[in-house]
Amino acid sequence: MTRPDESDPSVAVVGGGAFGVTVAHDLAVRGASVTLYERGAVADGASGRAAGVCYDAYADRIDAAVGDRALKRFREFSGTGDFRFTDCPYVVLVRDGDDRRAEAVREGVARMREHDREVSLVDPDDLATEFPDLRTDDVALAAVARNAGYTDPGAYTAAMADAAREAGVEVREGTPARLRTGDGTGRDDTGSPRVETEAGSERYDAVCVAAGAHTRRVLADADLAVPLKPYRVQALVTDPDPVTDRVPMAYDATGGYYLRPREGGLLVGDGTEPVERDPDDWVRDADDWFVADCAGYLETALGRSYPVDRAWAGLCTATPDGHPLFGERAPGVFVAAGWQGHGFMRAPALAERMAEQVLGGEGIDAFDPNRFEGDEEFPIVEGMALD
Ligand SMILES: Cc1cc2nc3c(=O)[nH]c(=O)nc-3n(C[C@H](O)[C@H](O)[C@H](O)COP(=O)(O)OP(=O)(O)OC[C@H]3O[C@@H](n4cnc5c(N)ncnc54)[C@H](O)[C@@H]3O)c2cc1C
């Protein structure tokens, strides 16, 4: 970012999700003058609909480091406002006969251990001893990640938005923002990016676009193309049940669903539809098939059924290579999106990194948004899948 003078840099953040509020906070505490634009209310997007499963069990070195840093920040921030982070092991299971995914888990765990992650393969009998409420009779292979936990992503986002306000960020809710269009860079003829709202137009030294499923549209207003497809995923919560205090977080790689304890009940997720959705026109309720399938998942995972309290859908975003679009897309215009269903757990670490990048630090080459032309055709691949 270049600035004509030495005054505090002015930065606009577009999007009040977990990423947007964290980068706004982190920029403000580093001395920037920050305005955050949110079209609705803070956490109206995916961050208010997410499951809150967090871990550092990634085979990729950068992802593992990002997960580790994010967990540290979640733990440090826990206790702020209504935000609480609960440590809990994360178990990945492969069922009998699924040799392909068993091999993928073995290889993945070996790579995670190379990056010093606290992850190990566990014998199904030992798994049954540690977690007696998990059904393990047809488990072929299991891995347990110890550096993991869960939280309520909406509570995190609200608490971090408050922290951002306290740090001096001006949070403008109910304010849809547009990047200035016209010259292909999102910058006006004075050389600074500009944000337009119904109230008028303002220039900034830099703009961070973290608008979730709307990110491609926001950038397109400034003639900046990025390959990003919104897709629908689903989750539900069950009524409280005493057994759930004793279950870990778990991902059944064979069944393609995950679960975690939640307020005395369970949260169960899956229902990924690999279909591009219009971010302004999609079904927010869960599908009947998803709710019906969850009954089967819980029978498989825990050997019993649970009454469903409520179920919902939300939008995630996919990129051609499964890595985020993260960094400076054009001079002074930064983008952070394309999380493939893992954006909440990475937000504290990557937002911190983006704040540093906006103020002159290094980006992350593997996530550079300019690695694509922007008009690529690509299939949507679920972020958790081991295929
Ligand atoms: C059911 C479900 C379960 C999930 N579970 C997990 C999980 O367990 N762990 C995990 O890491 N991730 C999970 N995710 C993914 C996670 O929710 C997202 O990756 C993450 O919340 C993205 O945060 P964000 O701040 O980038 O985007 P968002 O939270 O989508 O925020 C973007 C914001 O931008 C606003 N906006 C859009 N356009 C404009 C505009 N023009 N002007 C101003 N504001 C605008 C929107 O209103 C929105 O509030 C899940 C997602 C869903 C739907």
PDB file of all heavy atoms in Angstrom, residues 87 90 156 162 223 294:
ATOM      1  N   ASP A  87     -11.899 -26.425  24.412  1.00  0.00           N
ATOM      2  CA  ASP A  87     -10.968 -27.422  23.869  1.00  0.00           C
ATOM      3  C   ASP A  87     -11.652 -28.775  23.782  1.00  0.00           C
ATOM      4  O   ASP A  87     -12.373 -29.169  24.703  1.00  0.00           O
ATOM      5  CB  ASP A  87      -9.724 -27.517  24.762  1.00  0.00           C
ATOM      6  CG  ASP A  87      -8.776 -26.359  24.516  1.00  0.00           C
ATOM      7  OD1 ASP A  87      -8.166 -26.325  23.443  1.00  0.00           O
ATOM      8  OD2 ASP A  87      -8.680 -25.466  25.386  1.00  0.00           O
ATOM      9  N   TYR A  90     -10.456 -33.761  18.102  1.00  0.00           N
ATOM     10  CA  TYR A  90     -11.139 -33.904  16.806  1.00  0.00           C
ATOM     11  C   TYR A  90     -10.740 -35.257  16.221  1.00  0.00           C
ATOM     12  O   TYR A  90      -9.550 -35.522  16.015  1.00  0.00           O
ATOM     13  CB  TYR A  90     -10.696 -32.759  15.897  1.00  0.00           C
ATOM     14  CG  TYR A  90     -11.229 -32.795  14.479  1.00  0.00           C
ATOM     15  CD1 TYR A  90     -12.577 -32.574  14.210  1.00  0.00           C
ATOM     16  CD2 TYR A  90     -10.371 -33.017  13.406  1.00  0.00           C
ATOM     17  CE1 TYR A  90     -13.049 -32.579  12.914  1.00  0.00           C
ATOM     18  CE2 TYR A  90     -10.844 -33.016  12.097  1.00  0.00           C
ATOM     19  CZ  TYR A  90     -12.188 -32.798  11.864  1.00  0.00           C
ATOM     20  OH  TYR A  90     -12.652 -32.798  10.574  1.00  0.00           O
ATOM     21  N   TYR A 156     -18.319 -15.291  18.543  1.00  0.00           N
ATOM     22  CA  TYR A 156     -16.968 -14.764  18.278  1.00  0.00           C
ATOM     23  C   TYR A 156     -17.062 -13.471  17.473  1.00  0.00           C
ATOM     24  O   TYR A 156     -16.410 -12.456  17.797  1.00  0.00           O
ATOM     25  CB  TYR A 156     -16.133 -15.787  17.493  1.00  0.00           C
ATOM     26  CG  TYR A 156     -14.840 -15.185  16.965  1.00  0.00           C
ATOM     27  CD1 TYR A 156     -13.709 -15.110  17.769  1.00  0.00           C
ATOM     28  CD2 TYR A 156     -14.769 -14.655  15.669  1.00  0.00           C
ATOM     29  CE1 TYR A 156     -12.537 -14.527  17.301  1.00  0.00           C
ATOM     30  CE2 TYR A 156     -13.599 -14.068  15.197  1.00  0.00           C
ATOM     31  CZ  TYR A 156     -12.492 -14.010  16.017  1.00  0.00           C
ATOM     32  OH  TYR A 156     -11.341 -13.422  15.546  1.00  0.00           O
ATOM     33  N   ASP A 162     -17.234  -5.918  18.741  1.00  0.00           N
ATOM     34  CA  ASP A 162     -17.192  -4.990  19.886  1.00  0.00           C
ATOM     35  C   ASP A 162     -15.748  -4.569  20.183  1.00  0.00           C
ATOM     36  O   ASP A 162     -15.474  -3.401  20.463  1.00  0.00           O
ATOM     37  CB  ASP A 162     -17.805  -5.649  21.131  1.00  0.00           C
ATOM     38  CG  ASP A 162     -19.325  -5.703  21.045  1.00  0.00           C
ATOM     39  OD1 ASP A 162     -19.896  -4.964  20.211  1.00  0.00           O
ATOM     40  OD2 ASP A 162     -19.929  -6.483  21.797  1.00  0.00           O
ATOM     41  N   ASP A 223     -14.477  -4.024 -11.787  1.00  0.00           N
ATOM     42  CA  ASP A 223     -13.902  -4.740 -12.942  1.00  0.00           C
ATOM     43  C   ASP A 223     -12.746  -5.657 -12.555  1.00  0.00           C
ATOM     44  O   ASP A 223     -11.816  -5.864 -13.334  1.00  0.00           O
ATOM     45  CB  ASP A 223     -13.427  -3.762 -14.033  1.00  0.00           C
ATOM     46  CG  ASP A 223     -14.585  -3.054 -14.695  1.00  0.00           C
ATOM     47  OD1 ASP A 223     -15.717  -3.561 -14.590  1.00  0.00           O
ATOM     48  OD2 ASP A 223     -14.359  -1.994 -15.288  1.00  0.00           O
ATOM     49  N   CYS A 294     -29.385 -37.155   8.548  1.00  0.00           N
ATOM     50  CA  CYS A 294     -28.699 -36.964   9.832  1.00  0.00           C
ATOM     51  C   CYS A 294     -29.124 -38.014  10.856  1.00  0.00           C
ATOM     52  O   CYS A 294     -28.316 -38.422  11.704  1.00  0.00           O
ATOM     53  CB  CYS A 294     -28.972 -35.564  10.384  1.00  0.00           C
ATOM     54  SG  CYS A 294     -27.927 -34.334   9.605  1.00  0.00           S
TER      55      CYS A 294
END
